[in-house]
Amino acid sequence: MAFVNGELQARFMTRIRGLDPQRCLAVPVDVGKAVAVALVADHYGEMIVAPFEFALTEDGFAVLLAAVIRAQNERDAVVVRVGVEAAGHYHRTLVARLQAAGLEVVELNPRAVKDARGQQLLRTLKNDARDCGAMAELLIRGSGRPPQCRDEALAAQAAWVAHRRRKVAAQIVLSNQIHGQLDLIFPGLTGCFSHGLEAASLRVLIRDMPDPDRVRRLGVDGVLRFVRRRGVQMTHPKAEQVVRAAHVALRLPSIERPAPLVVLAADWALFEALDQQIREATAELAELLPKTPAGVLLGIPGVGVVAASTYGAAIGDPTRYRDAAAAYRASGLVPIRYESAGRARPRTGISREGSVELRRAIVDLGRGIGLHHPDFISYRRQLIARGKPPLVAMIAVAHRAHRLAFAMLRSQRPFDADRWARAVAGHRHRTDEQARHGNTPAVGGPPERRDLPAQHTLTHAEASSN
């Protein structure tokens, strides 16, 4: 039997069908940093326990548990369902404690809670009690997703991926500050190098000689010797370019020069510390990857340790998604769609309603494969040739890469280039979506998208879908 809100609602409604709504309880919990607010209501919407606040400590949890047990005894409840709004990381310890206590727990998307509050015409009248009321409505409807359960390796992988992502973000911010300092100290230096702050010779100059006057005095040969004595190779043309930049650089007044140099030295020390932490995190991920389902992805051209680990951490246990299409929808990469009264608005972008981490992981995965695998390179070129904007083509490549990677996670079968080529070459039939809308693929063009279930092996449909 089909339900309006899909399979999760169907499972819950099957459990409570025929039960007295007064004996089915919903316990919404709105989590903050140090405290949370909860209430207990039955499936008629009647409050059994009014909204109350408790601390996110063991003592506070005892208060919550006592309220739930009291309501359960009062109504002789047969179903008690706790819903916790997914609030960054603040909710995770409470969810773990609730599960340890044997309670049924689901996580509620903050966007869904906001929309439910809006349905009560309270979108701009937010407080914790109203949020709990909106969450109770969602729980009664059967909304909510069970929390992700990770084994030790998956939990460690997720932690190291998040750690590395934060350090990379911090390093990007810091690199912009370093560029700003160099524009005052040695204008034109970074313009001599095409890859930001990645060049080893540039790093030597920033750390040990960010002074155009000194570069001018040393000259080309002196700069080459200086850099090479520190174990870094530098070409003669590059040294000439740096010396020319030193000769034409505009300088601050001499009394204003010492402070920016001190700031640059401090920023650069922090930059190198972040660089070291990023390398250490990458090494940890490389060690963990073979112990997780995402280890199989290393066989795909263009997929390295970071891309595979990031995708694996974002997906988690692949069996929690019905198929690859469900995981893709959870990423928020699906196109916006609006139809009413037989009319449809043109697509204007992606929904962005879902996991930001999964969205980024899929795009990064597609970017890597799209630069190294011939079929994906050809696919992107065909899309652009058909008039698709580059960003749309990139998302389509990412979708195709996700279908391949998700099938490999589920089957744990390594990538087989010949099998992939046969699957793509054998795609000649119209897809279900094309049949519904009466359109056919362009001759010689890439196959259109199909939202078919992912099997335990790389199926023909999955291999050839974008």
Side-chain angles (χ1 to χ4, degrees):
M1 183 180 295
F3 278 74
V4 172
N5 290 325
E7 185 178 350
L8 290 176
Q9 185 189 39
R11 292 178 188 171
F12 179 66
M13 292 304 172
T14 300
R15 287 176 50 205
I16 67 170
R17 188 185 298 278
L19 297 178
D20 182 356
Q22 290 185 322
R23 301 178 65 195
C24 299
L25 305 185
V27 186
V29 182
D30 188 23
V31 177
K33 182 173 183 178
V35 298
V37 174
L39 62 82
V40 184
D42 64 21
H43 277 212
Y44 282 126
E46 179 183 356
M47 281 197 296
I48 305 168
V49 179
F52 62 96
E53 185 177 283
F54 63 94
L56 290 176
T57 61
E58 281 293 335
D59 291 341
F61 176 77
V63 173
L64 172 64
L65 188 60
V68 172
I69 293 174
R70 185 168 66 251
Q72 189 174 10
N73 293 335
E74 180 180 330
R75 292 295 179 88
D76 190 23
V78 291
V79 173
V80 178
R81 196 163 183 251
V82 183
V84 181
E85 185 177 11
H89 60 274
Y90 296 133
H91 67 290
R92 290 178 57 187
T93 52
L94 178 61
V95 166
R97 190 65 181 85
L98 288 164
Q99 289 178 313
L103 293 170
E104 178 185 356
V105 188
V106 295
E107 293 179 351
L108 297 170
N109 188 296
R111 176 63 181 270
V113 175
K114 181 178 179 180
D115 289 346
R117 196 175 70 247
Q119 291 169 9
Q120 301 168 2
L121 303 182
L122 298 171
R123 185 179 297 274
T124 58
L125 301 174
K126 172 182 166 54
N127 61 37
D128 293 338
R130 287 174 178 147
D131 276 349
C132 282
M135 293 163 66
E137 291 287 339
L138 292 173
L139 290 170
I140 292 168
R141 295 178 206 165
S143 299
R145 183 175 292 276
Q148 184 174 176
C149 296
R150 296 183 174 98
D151 60 21
E152 183 178 355
L154 276 175
Q157 183 182 61
W160 280 107
V161 165
H163 173 74
R164 186 184 186 279
R165 181 175 61 247
R166 289 191 296 268
K167 299 310 174 188
V168 169
Q171 192 181 51
I172 290 172
V173 173
L174 187 59
S175 68
N176 292 333
Q177 297 172 1
I178 290 172
H179 276 285
Q181 293 295 331
L182 286 171
D183 288 340
L184 295 174
I185 297 168
F186 194 158
L189 175 62
T190 55
C192 299
F193 299 84
S194 58
H195 298 289
L197 302 179
E198 295 301 316
S201 54
L202 173 60
R203 293 189 171 202
V204 168
L205 293 174
I206 292 174
R207 184 181 65 245
D208 299 326
M209 194 169 56
D211 183 357
D213 293 338
R214 188 177 175 191
V215 170
R216 285 199 299 268
R217 289 196 301 269
L218 287 177
V220 174
D221 293 336
V223 169
L224 285 172
R225 287 193 300 271
F226 182 88
V227 172
R228 288 171 181 171
R229 278 200 300 269
R230 285 153 180 80
V232 175
Q233 293 298 314
M234 188 179 195
T235 64
H236 197 277
K238 183 61 67 179
E240 291 178 341
Q241 190 178 0
V242 169
V243 172
R244 281 198 302 270
H247 278 288
V248 299
L250 296 175
R251 302 297 311 279
L252 289 172
S254 57
I255 60 173
E256 296 183 22
R257 295 175 189 174
L261 285 170
V262 173
V263 172
L264 176 64
D267 282 349
W268 189 253
L270 181 56
F271 184 90
E272 290 189 322
L274 289 171
D275 219 28
Q276 179 62 28
Q277 291 185 48
I278 291 169
R279 286 195 295 269
E280 290 172 357
T282 304
E284 291 286 346
L285 290 172
E287 184 177 345
L288 284 168
L289 190 57
K291 304 173 186 176
T292 67
V296 73
L297 301 181
L298 287 179
I300 307 175
V303 177
V305 168
V306 174
S309 299
T310 303
Y311 181 81
I315 290 288
D317 180 3
T319 61
R320 72 190 182 110
Y321 294 106
R322 181 177 58 84
D323 53 33
Y328 193 72
R329 284 193 296 273
S331 73
L333 282 170
V334 292
I336 294 172
R337 186 171 182 176
Y338 186 92
E339 293 182 5
S340 181
R343 296 183 179 182
R345 293 180 185 174
R347 293 177 178 178
T348 56
I350 59 174
S351 72
R352 296 182 183 272
E353 294 182 357
S355 167
V356 176
E357 290 77 16
L358 181 55
R359 183 157 64 244
R360 291 172 178 168
I362 291 175
V363 171
D364 288 344
L365 186 77
R367 185 180 289 116
I369 300 176
L371 291 173
H372 294 85
H373 193 287
D375 178 64
F376 285 81
I377 295 172
S378 173
Y379 178 45
R380 182 177 182 276
R381 289 174 179 169
Q382 290 178 54
L383 289 173
I384 292 176
R386 286 162 50 188
K388 299 293 185 184
L391 183 59
V392 173
M394 181 186 73
I395 297 299
V397 170
H399 187 191
R400 199 180 204 197
H402 160 68
R403 303 287 298 214
L404 168 63
F406 190 86
M408 291 176 63
L409 286 185
R410 292 282 285 262
S411 69
Q412 286 298 293
R413 294 183 61 175
F415 179 71
D416 185 338
D418 293 336
R419 186 163 176 257
W420 170 262
R422 289 195 304 270
V424 173
H427 187 87
R428 292 290 182 268
H429 55 80
R430 298 170 70 192
T431 68
D432 293 346
E433 183 174 339
Q434 293 161 356
R436 286 196 301 272
H437 296 285
N439 56 349
T440 56
V443 176
E448 298 293 334
R449 188 186 74 181
R450 298 187 74 195
D451 289 338
L452 295 179
Q455 303 297 324
H456 289 288
T457 59
L458 184 61
T459 64
H460 165 81
E462 285 173 329
S464 54
S465 296
N466 65 334

